[in-house]
Amino acid sequence: MDLSKYPAEPFRIKSVEPVKMNTREEREEIIKKAGYNTFLIDSEDVYIDLLTDSGTNAMSDRQWAGLMVGDEAYAGSRNFKKLEKTIEEVMGFPYVVPTHQGRGAENILSRIAIKPGQYVPGNMYFTTTRYHQEANGGIFVDVIRDEAHDAALNVPFKGDIDLEKLENLIKEKGPENIAYVCLAVTVNLAGGQPVSMANMRAVRELTNKYGIKVFYDATRFAENAYFIKEQEEGYQDKTIAEIVKEMFSYADGATMSGKKDGIVNMGGFLALRDEDLLIKARELVVVFEGMPSYGGMTGRDMEAFAIGLKESLQFEYIQHRILQVRYLGDRLKEAGIPIVEPIGGHGVFIDARRFCPHLDQEQFPAQALAANLYLESGVRAMERGIVSAGRDPKTGENRKPKLETVRLTIPRRVYTYRHMDVVADAIIRLYERREQIKGLRFVYEPPALRFFTARFEEID
Ligand code: PLI
């Protein structure tokens, strides 16, 4: 393996948080007690935590310093002004409605922009996003290109919207029945796959033709921009900041979870261009989140968020981020472990269908694999497959996504390459005894977003 392809950490470590590995016997007890759901394991029982990259980032010294200048006024905090100005500078949106995290923004956008019965096309679903769309009477329609559903297919920009699918939907249902297009950069559940600039531009042109708005899920915007710089013709000499600015120039607004590319532990926003929508959003933010100048965040949260948004544009930061994830993926690929290709921005997704071909999808292979990875190594990952997809609200049947994956999500600036080696070695060991992985069945299934709190038992 040519290690010179993977840049060393572009930071030095000033504060550390000890972690410990417990014994296999202890982990056997722990995973059983957690109902084979990695969400229900205590953090102190985890050695390397790859459950999510959400809110698990390490802040920089500048962000920590920013906490000390938090203005905790109930109204008109100066940190909100700074956040608002930063978002305008980075993304070009004039209006910002702050929220406690991404789903707070999704709730507000869905309420102000969806009329019951309208369709919401998007490049693959995300759990909380689709929940809010459906809770407000919207009908989600997946218009991502077909290739995104094929784990093994290694083609660039798998997150792109299929323009033909989108236009057919608009023509079939009528433009007045399309609430808006939801375009996520990058696409989480497809494996952190990016969207090309050409596709964003084309989606804008198509929706302009029909007078339809486009809202981005901006959650991992900087990672998306890195892939454009690396792989899309004409962007190699542009800065990440320039690419980001162009990406958002094709959007009417965006929801964002600051817990990812904002490099903070909490926060989010809804950004808009339209003043009428802003007024409606502000009417709701006071009900669900807080005053329009904090929306559930503290002043210090907003200061750290504003600084983090700027840091995410630094080339050395984002290059290391993407290539560290790629290092883990490349190590697994080299050992013949089936993963989603190409390797995406925020994590490596193991293809549980090919890892556990002896299990039927209704036996939750990815859930079982994540539980066994914890047992093997103390590494915590997350199921992203049939359990996360939930049930169809109309038929009550399990939705059966083609992608049945375990996500190894890498927090930003938290772990080193050596940690990635420990994870890779554990997965390789587990692959050697993969036939021993048993399927699971529900013992408790919550009605909404079931993956967070469901409990399972092993099928003998
Ligand atoms: O976790 P929130 O409420 O700040 O953000 C929700 C959210 C929206 N869009 C996308 C693409 C996400 O990935 C997302 C949250 N993701 C989580 C929690 C994750 O583990 O991926």
Side-chain angles (χ1 to χ4, degrees):
M1 198 161 195
D2 177 10
L3 291 180
S4 67
K5 285 198 314 203
Y6 313 98
E9 287 72 13
F11 49 80
R12 52 187 179 185
I13 298 164
K14 169 142 57 180
S15 177
V16 297
E17 189 182 354
V19 289
K20 71 166 177 40
M21 168 104 87
N22 40 25
T23 65
R24 191 185 178 94
E25 290 70 40
E26 285 169 329
R27 292 197 298 276
E28 252 163 37
E29 274 307 298
I30 291 163
I31 193 69
K32 216 180 269 171
K33 232 179 91 198
Y36 298 90
N37 184 347
T38 52
F39 278 98
L40 302 180
I41 300 172
D42 287 342
S43 160
E44 63 178 16
D45 291 326
V46 174
Y47 176 45
I48 297 176
D49 202 349
L50 307 187
L51 184 69
T52 178
D53 62 330
S54 180
T56 51
N57 308 302
M59 293 206 298
S60 67
D61 51 356
R62 281 161 197 253
Q63 286 176 294
W64 281 103
L67 300 189
M68 292 307 291
V69 295
D71 170 0
E72 308 304 343
Y74 192 76
S77 163
R78 74 169 164 262
N79 312 111
F80 174 63
K81 302 248 171 289
K82 176 164 171 174
L83 179 61
E84 199 177 35
K85 206 169 131 241
T86 305
I87 292 166
E88 176 152 35
E89 205 183 307
V90 173
M91 301 180 173
F93 296 118
Y95 304 125
V96 174
V97 180
T99 59
H100 73 289
Q101 59 183 91
R103 67 199 74 181
E106 291 166 354
N107 174 35
I108 294 174
L109 178 66
S110 300
R111 283 169 187 266
I112 62 177
I114 300 174
K115 292 194 198 93
Q118 279 187 323
Y119 294 84
V120 192
N123 50 347
M124 205 173 265
Y125 85 102
F126 183 70
T127 52
T128 58
T129 320
R130 184 177 64 190
Y131 173 83
H132 283 294
Q133 291 164 355
E134 289 178 348
N136 286 286
I139 303 159
F140 169 80
V141 183
D142 188 359
V143 292
I144 202 167
R145 57 191 286 205
D146 287 337
E147 293 91 330
H149 294 281
D150 183 344
L153 198 64
N154 191 339
V155 293
F157 300 111
K158 256 170 134 179
D160 281 359
I161 282 185
D162 181 327
L163 296 164
E164 212 178 297
K165 279 191 204 169
L166 178 58
E167 188 157 25
N168 286 345
L169 180 80
I170 298 170
K171 282 187 181 154
E172 187 192 322
K173 306 295 178 190
E176 69 286 0
N177 292 317
I178 307 294
Y180 56 86
V181 175
C182 176
L183 190 152
V185 287
T186 57
V187 184
N188 187 350
L189 298 191
Q193 304 298 337
V195 179
S196 66
M197 193 73 89
N199 191 251
M200 290 183 227
R201 204 177 300 124
V203 168
R204 177 72 287 171
E205 281 164 15
L206 180 65
T207 50
N208 274 349
K209 194 166 110 185
Y210 292 100
I212 295 169
K213 285 194 162 40
V214 182
F215 291 101
Y216 284 10
D217 179 339
T219 295
R220 296 182 179 87
F221 72 95
E223 293 170 6
N224 200 101
Y226 180 84
F227 285 108
I228 291 176
K229 184 175 170 73
E230 183 184 53
Q231 292 170 27
E232 191 163 352
E233 216 181 304
Y235 287 91
Q236 279 69 52
D237 296 329
K238 297 227 190 280
T239 63
I240 299 291
E242 286 166 341
I243 294 171
V244 166
K245 209 54 180 286
E246 184 182 341
M247 282 164 51
F248 289 107
S249 72
Y250 304 125
D252 294 288
T255 55
M256 162 113 192
S257 167
K259 303 173 72 170
K260 285 82 167 174
D261 276 358
I263 331 184
V264 285
N265 306 117
M266 190 49 79
F269 61 79
L270 167 62
L272 297 164
R273 291 190 201 285
D274 181 313
E275 214 175 329
D276 292 338
L277 281 179
L278 173 73
I279 292 166
K280 287 188 189 147
R282 283 199 175 141
E283 286 166 5
L284 291 180
V285 78
V286 292
V287 178
F288 291 109
E289 303 283 326
M291 281 287 285
S293 61
Y294 72 83
M297 285 181 280
T298 62
R300 54 184 179 272
D301 286 339
M302 293 188 281
E303 185 71 20
F305 193 174
I307 297 168
L309 281 173
K310 288 295 244 335
E311 288 182 359
S312 75
L313 304 176
Q314 290 166 3
F315 180 73
E316 292 72 21
Y317 155 75
I318 194 71
Q319 182 192 37
H320 167 265
R321 158 80 179 145
I322 300 290
L323 295 185
Q324 189 191 38
V325 171
R326 195 171 296 165
Y327 173 77
L328 173 61
D330 285 345
R331 275 223 48 203
L332 294 178
K333 252 170 67 174
E334 215 176 66
I337 311 287
I339 60 171
V340 174
E341 295 196 57
I343 298 156
H346 64 305
V348 177
F349 289 59
I350 305 173
D351 184 353
R353 285 179 187 275
R354 281 182 289 155
F355 200 109
C356 301
H358 59 291
L359 297 180
D360 186 81
Q361 196 175 17
E362 300 262 16
Q363 296 174 322
F364 312 127
Q367 187 77 31
L369 177 51
N372 274 273
L373 177 61
Y374 174 74
L375 183 64
E376 180 68 36
S377 60
V379 173
R380 169 156 70 174
M382 183 196 289
E383 190 264 6
R384 295 272 83 156
I386 184 169
V387 179
S388 294
R391 290 180 186 274
D392 185 300
K394 269 205 194 118
T395 64
E397 292 297 317
N398 275 323
R399 287 164 158 143
K400 288 186 164 181
K402 284 210 182 110
L403 293 179
E404 178 71 23
T405 65
V406 170
R407 189 182 70 174
L408 306 158
T409 343
I410 316 300
R412 294 166 187 77
R413 307 191 287 212
V414 172
Y415 293 114
T416 63
Y417 283 92
R418 182 75 192 108
H419 285 115
M420 298 301 110
D421 283 330
V422 171
V423 174
D425 292 341
I427 294 164
I428 294 165
R429 278 199 311 277
L430 187 58
Y431 193 59
E432 279 156 15
R433 65 161 187 88
R434 59 190 181 278
E435 296 82 17
Q436 293 165 9
I437 297 174
K438 291 179 185 165
L440 300 172
R441 64 175 154 247
F442 276 115
V443 289
Y444 164 62
E445 183 187 355
L449 300 178
R450 61 186 184 179
F451 54 96
F452 284 128
T453 53
R455 305 183 69 84
F456 304 83
E457 65 185 6
E458 284 191 324
I459 307 167
D460 271 322

